[in-house]
Amino acid sequence: MRRKVMGEWDAKAAFLSVPDDGWSFVGFANALPCHPSEAEGIARYLHRKKLIWLSMRQGHGRVFPATMRPGRGRPKAVGIEQAPLMDPALAGFLTQAHPTFLKIRLLLGTDPGGAWNEHQSAKAEIRYAIAVEATKLMTLCRTFAKKHPAITVTALRNALWLDRPHTMPIVAQTQPDLAMAGSEQFTERPKGKARLSKNLTDEERMMSYIEAAGASGIAVYEIVNKGKIARDRVTQIGEMFENMGAIRSAVVRMSDRGRTGMRFFARKHGEPIVGEGGRLILT
């Protein structure tokens, strides 16, 4: 009798159009139709007859067309193409900027710590070197923004802060366009003075720095950083210029609590005035 009843479902199953994503037992019962309590038993029977394919996972069954029966397991899910979380060009830019971020972190690691007046010269050199790297990053950003106008400056800035949240505040100290509250467009690139020719000698380069420094003069470490000239060489050239009467020099400090250091002054500014405690007095 039971075999005869089940045989009736064979005929009904032949007219079923099971969707590729399958039916639950409730959907299968509505399609036959039959009572939901009988759906599992009928599905198992039709599965054995290879009229449908029944998949059971963790106590939950799902009915699929017999033609989709794979070797094992349920049919593979239809591939859904996911949009990338970040523009590939922007992700590539972050990779390009990573060496600059690494240099900044390494420079920060060389900070001797302590108060500014304890290691003024060393801290000043580190600060200058970090500013140079921040300028390089700003140049990269300008070039990228010009090459990819579809990517907004805000998106570029947000990507940088997301990627390097601990380094970007340091960059923003000298590059306000890259600060979190920066504008939607980069400001025009400042037109600075013409770059010195690479063919200048150390003496010519050093004299140009001293003349451009004005009445406040220029420290030895600043010439070392700007001209990439060895400190001993800078001292030697300075003594030569002073003996020739082209410049003047003095060991001074720029603030009451600052560290003293050798500074060179162009002769046209007169003799440097040194106050009590070695403080340079600008007239």
Side-chain angles (χ1 to χ4, degrees), residues 76-93:
K76 293 182 179 179
V78 178
I80 300 176
E81 186 176 349
Q82 269 190 328
L85 297 178
M86 181 180 293
D87 189 291
L90 191 53
F93 169 75

Side-chain angles (χ1 to χ4, degrees), residues 56-132:
M56 296 293 296
R57 282 187 182 176
Q58 298 180 352
H60 298 281
R62 195 163 186 84
V63 176
F64 293 94
T67 56
M68 292 187 64
R69 179 185 181 96
R72 293 187 65 184
R74 288 185 178 179
K76 293 182 179 179
V78 178
I80 300 176
E81 186 176 349
Q82 269 190 328
L85 297 178
M86 181 180 293
D87 189 291
L90 191 53
F93 169 75
L94 293 179
T95 303
Q96 186 181 2
H98 280 176
T100 302
F101 284 123
L102 178 59
K103 288 181 182 177
I104 294 175
R105 298 306 301 179
L106 290 174
L107 287 168
L108 290 172
T110 60
D111 192 320
W116 174 265
N117 58 354
E118 294 177 0
H119 306 282
Q120 183 180 5
S121 178
K123 286 179 176 290
E125 290 185 18
I126 293 171
R127 178 179 294 182
Y128 176 80
I130 290 175
V132 170

